[in-house]
Amino acid sequence: MNNPESSIPANPEAERILRETFGYQSFRGRQAEIVAAVAAGNDAFVLMPTGGGKSLCYQIPALLRPGLAVVVSPLIALMADQVTALRQLGVAAAVLNSSLSAEDQAAIERDMQAGSLDLVYIAPERLMQPRTLSLLGECELALFAIDEAHCVSQWGHDFRPEYMQLSGLAEGFPNIPRIALTATADPRTREEIRQRLSLQRAAGFVHSFDRPNIRYRVAERGNAKQQLLRFLRDEHPDQAGIVYCLSRRKTDDIAAWLREQGIDALAYHAGLDREQRTTHQARFQRGEAVVMVATVAFGMGIDKPDVRFVVHLDLPASIEAYYQETGRGGRDGEPADAWMLYGLQDVVQRRRMIEEGDAPEARKRVERHKLDAMLSYCELTSCRRQHLLAYFGENRDHACGNCDTCLNPPQTWDATDTARKALSAVYRTGQRFGTGYVIDHLQGQADERAERQGHTRLSTFGVGDDLGVKEWRAVLRQLVALGYLTMDIDGYGGLRLGDNCRALLKGETRLQLRQLRTEDRPARRAAGSAAEDLDAADRRLWDRLRDLRKRLSEAQEVPPYVIFHDRTLLAMVTHKPTTEQALLAIDGVGQKKLESYGGDFLAEMIEGLAEVAD
Ligand code: ADP
Ligand code: ZN
């Protein structure tokens, strides 16, 4: 990939819009190239991770080109949020969908025809109706943007049949540029998108999938509730985030328990009625410190930039799922934590879900591979980010410095002999007992069953009394995750020798395992908000500005970040602008926001500074 900054001529008009309308000083990554290509009337295919900044890639060309830009997006809530944010910037944007009254729809259609709108957001099924198509035929069109373009792929993870019809756009509007955008990385999905949307010849723009501000951490599960509570209280007090659980019941249970502990937690899963889901989602989107305890039903279409943590209390099914879910943290570029608890039970549970599911065998094979990849990720002793990026085809030669294994390198130990004791114990007791029994056996704890089976007389009985129960559990979990042992999924979790075990038993390989760690806290301060680094005076200023933002957002019934992002407030605290000119120089303050809020924020700033001077 060549250096984008040097290879394209600057487009002063695009940069002016970036600065004045959006309030940003410079384009990120390949945004400038993409904007230039689409503004010049070319098609484009954009791959960027969540939070990478896809929206600007079509919003700026929409303003540069004459006519109306049509944006296709699968979710009504997402469209509404984007339009709210655009209107705050003074951009003429609207949503056209069935949630509007007939009069409102008619008004928007009139605006479209009159050419007074810059952008209109439409759901795909609506767009392809003959009525809408003929309406568009009467409008001057700037471009089509197809967001979440992976929805057109049957191989992808979120296929939506209504997206299939979008293939008709190429024929129906051959001279209008089309830009398709997605955060889905895998090559097969990419190919399918290009094909179905007739974008084979479109320029492709692949952005790095790295999310440097997300700190990846995996901790061994002990008392999960207490671990979670400590994480929330110590590292993320008064911040918003998501806690993913596998089942609806667990989701309800954890949310209720957190509320008892005084944490503002809400549950979200497909079993709640629609109204409840909508209220909970709205509170999360607007509130400043809601902890959303949710199944994976929650997430698509959540466009909240200031999610400070994403917790997994259960193992995700695949690295793709994990990456997408954790990617919902830190979209504003500020530090965010991806924190997962992991234990032996996850392995059993996930394996059982695959085996008991009714997918055809070929699909199950894929799922097993994906699970194995996820397990190796959990057991890594090297940089997690490097591993994740390599999984998506991006090779890095440096460790990242911002994951748990980088910050606090796990100690490994030569576990060859210990592992052999465990494997022999499993083998000699007949490959049908679960971890509890095997650990008792290794430690020489006999119950009546062991006596009856004659297991107390085996040579492996009591050979492992040098390790405690916790240590043994960690050893067995790693042996299962690494394929030296397999676990029956019949409900009893009986252990059996796995395919890998022979070389180890025969002494042909040695095995390094992670040392058990009770503390998972990285040595350096956790990824909280950068505001934690402020001194007392700046902290007061920060609180003032946040209060002001809260009042403004409540008065206008928009989420606080629609007024200004945390990052922008933080820059104000750091630079302390007291004139309009200085305020405009802050990233995130454009012309329109200066007009709407500049006076309020400058007044608050001046008052705050005076208070400090007193
Ligand atoms: P995506 O759709 O790719 O997930 P968004 O378009 O929502 O990402 O952008 C993510 C965040 O980054 C938004 O808060 C956006 O305002 C911000 N952003 C995008 N481009 C820039 C830029 N050039 N400079 C500063 N912030 C940007
Ligand atoms: Zn790392």
Side-chain angles (χ1 to χ4, degrees):
M1 213 185 294
N2 54 1
N3 183 351
E5 276 78 16
S6 60
S7 60
I8 45 141
N11 178 339
E13 192 55 15
E15 296 198 349
R16 191 184 59 76
I17 294 177
L18 178 74
R19 248 187 349 265
E20 292 183 3
T21 303
F22 292 91
Y24 296 134
Q25 305 305 315
S26 52
F27 282 111
R28 262 193 206 161
R30 305 188 75 188
Q31 279 175 335
E33 283 175 274
I34 300 165
V35 167
V38 178
N42 299 309
D43 295 337
F45 181 39
V46 174
L47 274 132
M48 249 188 222
T50 306
K54 285 185 284 296
S55 326
L56 286 185
C57 299
Y58 55 84
Q59 288 168 347
I60 292 185
L63 300 177
L64 283 167
R65 289 176 65 80
L68 173 72
V70 179
V71 184
V72 186
S73 171
L75 291 156
I76 291 180
L78 193 73
M79 294 193 262
D81 283 347
Q82 291 242 4
V83 167
T84 310
L86 282 169
R87 290 209 182 132
Q88 287 277 327
L89 300 170
V91 175
V95 188
L96 189 60
N97 67 32
S98 43
S99 72
L100 301 173
S101 68
E103 296 94 82
D104 286 347
Q105 295 191 34
I108 290 170
E109 290 178 4
R110 273 197 306 279
D111 288 346
M112 288 165 66
Q113 280 164 321
S116 56
L117 278 181
D118 289 315
L119 289 112
V120 66
Y121 284 70
I122 308 184
E125 60 277 17
R126 170 83 181 226
L127 174 64
M128 299 315 281
Q129 283 167 9
R131 203 182 114 65
T132 316
L133 289 174
S134 81
L135 170 69
L136 291 178
E138 294 162 24
C139 303
E140 185 185 11
L141 294 179
L143 59 93
F144 286 103
I146 301 153
D147 206 359
E148 312 286 357
H150 60 274
C151 292
V152 78
S153 157
Q154 278 173 304
W155 173 258
H157 58 274
D158 192 27
F159 174 61
R160 288 165 187 251
E162 62 274 18
Y163 258 67
M164 289 286 245
Q165 301 169 21
L166 296 174
S167 61
L169 286 180
E171 252 178 71
F173 302 88
N175 299 318
I176 311 297
R178 284 167 298 126
I179 169 173
L181 311 100
T182 176
T184 297
D186 89 87
R188 203 161 149 184
T189 309
R190 283 183 212 179
E191 238 357 89
E192 211 183 331
I193 296 173
R194 278 183 179 266
Q195 220 170 46
R196 292 205 194 279
L197 297 178
S198 306
L199 287 170
Q200 289 94 334
R201 285 202 301 277
F205 298 90
V206 181
H207 194 285
S208 165
F209 271 73
D210 190 15
R211 298 287 312 280
N213 58 319
I214 297 183
R215 175 172 295 177
Y216 299 99
R217 296 159 60 186
V218 180
E220 287 168 45
R221 184 186 300 111
N223 181 335
K225 280 182 175 168
Q226 291 300 335
Q227 283 172 293
L228 174 64
L229 189 62
R230 200 158 3 110
F231 172 80
L232 295 175
R233 282 196 178 146
D234 295 358
E235 303 192 38
H236 295 283
D238 297 322
Q239 292 181 334
I242 308 174
V243 176
Y244 281 115
C245 305
L246 199 52
S247 71
R248 296 175 184 182
R249 228 184 67 200
K250 182 163 173 183
T251 304
D252 287 330
D253 175 48
I254 298 277
W257 184 78
L258 285 177
R259 279 196 299 274
E260 281 167 28
Q261 310 305 312
I263 287 181
D264 189 1
L266 293 173
Y268 189 103
H269 55 73
L272 298 177
D273 62 45
R274 207 189 147 86
E275 202 185 307
Q276 253 176 324
R277 272 182 304 179
T278 316
T279 358
H280 288 186
Q281 177 161 343
R283 275 212 55 213
F284 180 71
Q285 196 90 19
R286 299 198 194 297
E288 296 223 331
V290 172
V291 175
M292 189 67 102
V293 186
T295 62
V296 292
F298 181 74
M300 239 305 242
I302 302 303
D303 199 11
K304 188 175 164 63
D306 54 353
V307 173
R308 294 273 68 88
F309 56 89
V310 176
V311 171
H312 282 94
L313 290 185
D314 297 296
L315 189 75
S318 65
I319 291 197
E320 287 90 336
Y322 172 73
Y323 206 65
Q324 192 182 38
E325 285 148 22
T326 54
R328 293 175 184 138
R331 292 173 67 150
D332 54 8
E334 290 290 309
D337 265 313
W339 187 74
M340 175 161 80
L341 287 182
Y342 158 69
L344 189 56
Q345 198 49 36
D346 289 308
V347 186
V348 186
Q349 197 169 31
R350 279 289 176 193
R351 289 241 150 91
R352 188 183 304 153
M353 283 171 73
I354 296 174
E355 301 314 327
E356 289 175 359
D358 22 76
E361 180 52 30
R363 181 72 213 168
K364 287 188 176 177
R365 216 171 305 133
V366 174
E367 289 175 5
R368 285 183 208 117
H369 278 299
K370 295 200 168 195
L371 177 58
D372 287 342
M374 190 66 222
L375 292 174
S376 335
Y377 171 79
C378 293
E379 300 292 356
L380 279 180
T381 51
S382 56
C383 174
R384 294 201 196 273
R385 188 181 317 272
Q386 242 176 348
H387 186 91
L388 287 170
L389 291 174
Y391 186 85
F392 294 117
E394 241 179 281
N395 290 308
R396 288 286 166 96
D397 42 9
H398 304 296
C400 77
N402 191 29
C403 70
D404 55 357
T405 53
C406 280
L407 291 168
N408 195 4
Q411 303 294 315
T412 58
W413 55 292
D414 188 330
T416 314
D417 290 336
T418 306
R420 285 165 69 174
K421 286 179 193 168
L423 296 179
S424 305
V426 167
Y427 183 73
R428 289 181 186 270
T429 53
Q431 308 195 67
R432 53 205 165 87
F433 293 96
T435 48
Y437 187 90
V438 172
I439 293 172
D440 279 350
H441 179 81
L442 283 160
Q443 295 189 317
Q445 313 261 0
D447 61 4
E448 189 212 338
R449 188 165 50 150
E451 302 278 7
R452 200 162 14 126
Q453 304 272 352
H455 288 167
T456 49
R457 294 191 301 276
L458 296 174
S459 61
T460 45
F461 187 72
V463 288
D465 56 0
D466 50 332
L467 295 188
V469 176
K470 266 191 174 171
E471 282 85 4
W472 272 119
R473 287 193 71 85
V475 169
L476 292 178
R477 188 197 73 234
Q478 293 180 78
L479 291 176
V480 171
L482 297 168
Y484 292 103
L485 286 175
T486 63
M487 203 171 217
D488 280 349
I489 47 97
D490 56 8
Y492 300 103
L495 294 168
R496 241 179 236 281
L497 297 193
D499 296 338
N500 290 351
C501 74
R502 188 162 309 137
L504 191 62
L505 279 174
K506 285 165 79 182
E508 290 166 6
T509 51
R510 304 200 68 80
L511 179 68
Q512 294 284 324
L513 291 182
R514 291 173 78 108
Q515 198 93 297
L516 180 74
R517 216 169 27 206
T518 43
E519 262 311 307
D520 75 289
R521 226 81 60 82
R524 269 186 253 161
R525 198 178 58 80
S529 157
E532 283 165 23
D533 287 337
L534 298 176
D535 65 27
D538 280 356
R539 180 87 209 183
R540 275 206 298 282
L541 202 50
W542 161 256
D543 289 336
R544 262 177 180 273
L545 298 185
R546 266 167 61 108
D547 284 347
L548 170 61
R549 178 179 68 175
K550 187 129 199 274
R551 290 197 300 277
L552 292 170
S553 83
E554 280 166 2
Q556 299 193 44
E557 297 183 14
V558 297
Y561 58 79
V562 166
I563 311 264
F564 286 125
H565 281 185
D566 280 359
R567 192 159 27 101
T568 303
L569 292 195
L570 208 53
M572 290 186 199
V573 171
T574 313
H575 298 290
K576 306 189 173 47
T578 52
T579 63
E580 291 202 343
Q581 209 50 42
L583 191 57
L584 255 187
I586 302 276
D587 224 25
V589 185
Q591 205 61 51
K592 175 74 198 223
K593 292 226 170 140
L594 180 73
E595 277 165 35
S596 313
Y597 310 119
D600 287 332
F601 277 86
L602 285 176
E604 195 69 39
M605 175 66 69
I606 289 165
E607 226 173 277
L609 291 175
E611 177 196 83
V612 173
D614 283 347

